[in-house]
Amino acid sequence: MQLVVARIGRAHGIRGEVTVEVRTDEPEVRLGPGAVLATDPPGTGPLTIETGRVHSGRLLLRFAGVSDRTGAEALRNTLLIAEVDPEELPEDPEEFYDHQLMDLDVVTEGGVEVGRITEISHLPSQDLFIVERPDGSEVMIPFVAEIVAEIDLEEQRAVITPPPGLIDDRAVASARDAERDEADDGAPDDASDEAGGAR
């Protein structure tokens, strides 16, 4: 099974290093020196990682055969793809591979449907679930213990306990708009002129 583990960003320096947007929970395994990765677009690879280091919170990689800035820039926006055994599981039972989480149904502890996980975004501070709601909109849910109460792979669902405003921000905004409209209705007709008409 093929799994996207990173996306190449901009070149760093003049010796062929590139920044990468990590898309795996195990960069030390998937993106270590010696790893051979397929690419999208396919013609760019396969790429063999020669060196890797962290600089200012970002992972920098250098690939075999890429020794200057021009070669590094040519790799920009390339996806790095690892071959993963679909039966393989992380050692920590509290950790999951991205492919295990994709397409899980997201529900609240009260059973309210939120949507479906369509992407996992790996940020320096935390991971985010990108969840597509039934109406086609998206909501970002931090993958932290305080919010994600349970990952049930058998039932193919993620149970969350969202804080106020996380998934109902539109409802909150609508309520505020309604309150503002009511306040405007109660104001004198010339109040907006005195305020310069700005909203």
Side-chain angles (χ1 to χ4, degrees), residues 164-178:
L166 181 65
I167 61 173
D168 55 355
D169 55 341
R170 288 169 300 176
V172 171
S174 298
R176 286 184 186 145
D177 289 342

Side-chain angles (χ1 to χ4, degrees), residues 1-7 22-27 29-31 36-40 79-86 88 90 96-102 120 122:
M1 173 177 162
Q2 291 192 319
L3 185 68
V4 174
V5 293
R7 182 179 67 85
V22 176
R23 297 189 180 180
T24 172
D25 285 337
E26 297 181 313
V29 175
R30 308 295 177 199
L31 300 171
V36 180
L37 301 167
T39 60
D40 182 8
L79 297 178
L80 299 176
I81 302 168
E83 192 67 40
V84 178
D85 183 346
E88 183 182 340
F96 303 89
Y97 290 138
D98 286 6
H99 69 269
Q100 295 176 287
L101 302 170
M102 291 292 289
I120 293 93
H122 298 282

